[in-house]
Amino acid sequence: MTIGVCAPVDIKMLDWELAGSDLPETHAVPLSTYFVNGLLARGFKVIVYTNSPDIAEPKVYQTEQLTVCVGRMKPQPGRRFFWFEINDMARLIKQHPADFISAFWSYEYAWAAQKSGIPMVVSLHDVALQILLNHKDMFRLVRWAMNYVVVTRASHLIANSDYTYHMLDRSTRRKSRVINNFFSPDLEQMLSPDIEKGDYIVSVLMGFSYRKNAETALKAFAQVRQKHPELEYHLVGAEMEENGLAHQYALQNGLAEGVRFLGQLPFKEVMDQIAGAKALLHPAREESFGMVLLEAMVARTAVIGGEKSGYVPTLLDKGNTGLLCDVESPESIAGAVLQLVEDDTLRARLEEKGYTFAQENYSADAIIQQHLDYYATILGKPLVPTMAGSGTKATAAWSN
């Protein structure tokens, strides 16, 4: 049985012989990458279909158990409805077909897989309409249109949370199944040993946007720092770098004092930032799941999220495993931060409760098995691994 995964995948983080080789930059998306690693560990042959902006021609990397097909990306794909990227990956799928394809996100990867005619499922990891309503621009309009086409054509869908599922229309829900996101089994081993909590809180936000709500978080931190001038606020992620959009906003509004604008970092460095923080603040107004909150819980860092922010209240067990606040209010956010900074007992209790809740509800073993069970239902037959499992084997080769 060969399973295809059409998704944004970080091919440098895959468990294969080519780890450490001179591979092109693809996508720093841990979830789909660890999903591939989970399939490999279970003995399945896997074909990854992904893409990269750093190659002039499509590339194919092959080992006995894992094949990685990398299509090309061009600048400003939204202006072209991602047609170039979709067709490049579709050609690679045709040349290297799998028995079944799991496509992550309902955009270019799923569209490319649908062109193949191979049995497949599409995993929904966001709600395109909600993103459009929070980001009213042409790019998100294009993404919403792509999502509409993909979801309409799809026969089988996976919603990554109850929140995502209930945001779908009735006809779409009828062909959907809820399977939650999961954290990597290697996540704890990835953390640097002997990390001690520093005098800072951290947010990991992909984009300075209305939905991610960094402006309100910066206003809240300014209030916190009036009482705790020793405390820092570390901002990690796209547009969070020095002189980036978040930094410019903070300078223009007198909110930059005590804030470190770290920008995008390798995943391991992101996790070390999270593990060393007194708290992770996630001010997003809407989340279909909230992976960074789950990763912080595994790293034993207390978390703060929005009481009405999509799946976040469920992920935080209605406030039992983290603090919930009104992310529209700087005062409410500041109050939650102050609780964790000033109450060591509360912080320690939430760290342990969050860790236990994550382990009991979002482990990779249980969640990946739910995916495999669903694939078997779609195909009408059991999925039989080809290899013995525990990683890839044999001599590696690659070609253009």
Side-chain angles (χ1 to χ4, degrees):
M1 178 72 184
T2 300
I3 299 176
V5 177
C6 196
V9 172
D10 188 342
I11 66 175
K12 295 184 178 182
M13 293 177 64
L14 292 172
D15 290 339
W16 62 334
E17 297 95 320
L18 297 184
S21 303
D22 185 18
L23 299 169
E25 294 292 334
T26 49
H27 305 274
V29 181
L31 180 66
S32 49
T33 306
Y34 290 133
F35 181 74
V36 174
N37 288 340
L39 296 177
L40 295 173
R42 284 160 176 76
F44 290 97
K45 283 192 173 183
V46 181
I47 305 176
V48 170
Y49 312 106
T50 191
N51 51 17
S52 168
D54 294 339
I55 57 175
E57 296 294 333
K59 292 187 177 292
V60 178
Y61 304 85
Q62 292 180 303
T63 69
E64 184 181 355
Q65 191 180 356
L66 176 62
T67 298
V68 174
C69 302
V70 186
R72 296 164 292 180
M73 297 174 64
K74 287 187 176 181
Q76 298 181 317
R79 295 186 176 184
R80 297 174 277 100
F81 270 80
F82 290 78
W83 279 119
F84 179 82
E85 291 74 13
I86 290 169
N87 289 328
D88 224 34
M89 285 189 290
R91 282 190 292 270
L92 288 168
I93 295 171
K94 184 176 181 179
Q95 295 164 5
H96 302 271
D99 298 314
F100 182 87
I101 297 177
S102 178
F104 281 63
W105 279 270
S106 54
Y107 307 110
E108 66 270 28
Y109 301 98
W111 198 323
Q114 286 178 335
K115 288 169 71 73
S116 71
I118 295 171
M120 64 174 291
V121 66
V122 178
S123 293
L124 305 176
H125 292 273
D126 55 29
V127 182
L129 179 59
Q130 287 300 310
I131 293 175
L132 175 60
L133 293 174
N134 282 291
H135 305 273
K136 296 176 181 177
D137 55 44
M138 285 304 299
F139 179 77
R140 272 73 180 196
L141 181 61
V142 167
R143 299 294 267 179
W144 172 83
M146 294 174 68
N147 170 85
Y148 179 82
V149 171
V150 165
V151 170
T152 300
R153 290 176 175 174
S155 299
H156 305 283
L157 299 163
I158 292 172
N160 70 337
S161 69
D162 285 331
Y163 168 78
T164 301
Y165 177 82
H166 288 293
M167 293 298 291
L168 304 175
D169 61 74
R170 185 177 301 175
S171 63
T172 303
R173 289 199 298 269
R174 281 198 293 265
K175 57 184 180 180
S176 302
R177 177 175 294 192
V178 177
I179 302 179
N180 288 321
N181 287 351
F182 64 91
F183 65 89
S184 165
D186 301 324
L187 191 59
E188 291 182 82
Q189 287 70 38
M190 185 182 298
L191 299 172
S192 297
D194 303 322
I195 290 181
E196 295 184 359
K197 298 295 184 184
D199 284 328
Y200 69 92
I201 62 170
V202 65
S203 289
V204 181
L205 303 170
M206 296 309 293
F208 186 73
S209 63
Y210 175 82
R211 178 168 171 256
K212 294 302 182 182
N213 196 28
E215 303 101 314
T216 309
L218 285 164
K219 293 174 182 176
F221 179 70
Q223 296 181 19
V224 172
R225 207 162 189 273
Q226 291 178 6
K227 192 171 183 181
H228 291 277
E230 77 287 353
L231 195 69
E232 291 186 344
Y233 185 21
H234 294 187
L235 279 174
V236 178
E239 301 178 340
M240 302 295 143
E241 67 278 0
E242 285 192 14
N243 301 316
L245 293 180
H247 192 190
Q248 293 175 32
Y249 174 87
L251 290 172
Q252 291 167 5
N253 292 275
L255 301 172
E257 188 175 354
V259 184
R260 293 184 60 189
F261 297 89
L262 301 178
Q264 297 195 71
L265 301 173
F267 184 64
K268 183 185 183 307
E269 293 183 27
V270 174
M271 287 308 304
D272 283 346
Q273 279 287 325
I274 292 172
K278 285 189 173 179
L280 178 127
L281 167 61
H282 196 62
R285 291 182 164 96
E286 189 267 345
E287 285 289 352
S288 66
F289 187 83
M291 277 301 299
V292 70
L293 290 160
L294 178 60
E295 289 158 351
M297 291 156 72
V298 176
R300 286 187 167 89
T301 293
V303 297
I304 301 167
E307 61 190 6
K308 297 180 181 178
S309 299
Y311 188 67
V312 170
T314 302
L315 186 58
L316 301 190
D317 194 26
K318 300 180 180 178
N320 291 317
T321 61
L323 295 185
L324 294 170
C325 65
D326 178 5
V327 295
E328 301 290 350
S329 165
E331 291 75 20
S332 180
I333 295 175
V337 172
L338 287 170
Q339 278 187 269
L340 294 182
V341 169
E342 297 177 348
D343 190 337
D344 293 344
T345 302
L346 172 63
R347 189 171 70 245
R349 184 167 68 249
L350 291 177
E351 288 169 356
E352 291 308 310
K353 281 190 172 183
Y355 177 83
T356 301
F357 188 75
Q359 296 288 345
E360 291 178 348
N361 294 276
Y362 301 100
S363 70
D365 283 343
I367 301 299
I368 292 177
Q369 189 57 51
Q370 291 178 37
H371 279 266
L372 295 174
D373 291 343
Y374 190 29
Y375 303 168
T377 299
I378 294 170
L379 292 171
K381 61 181 181 181
L383 275 61
V384 181
T386 307
M387 313 288 286
S390 68
T392 58
K393 303 174 181 179
T395 303
W398 58 89
S399 62
N400 291 336

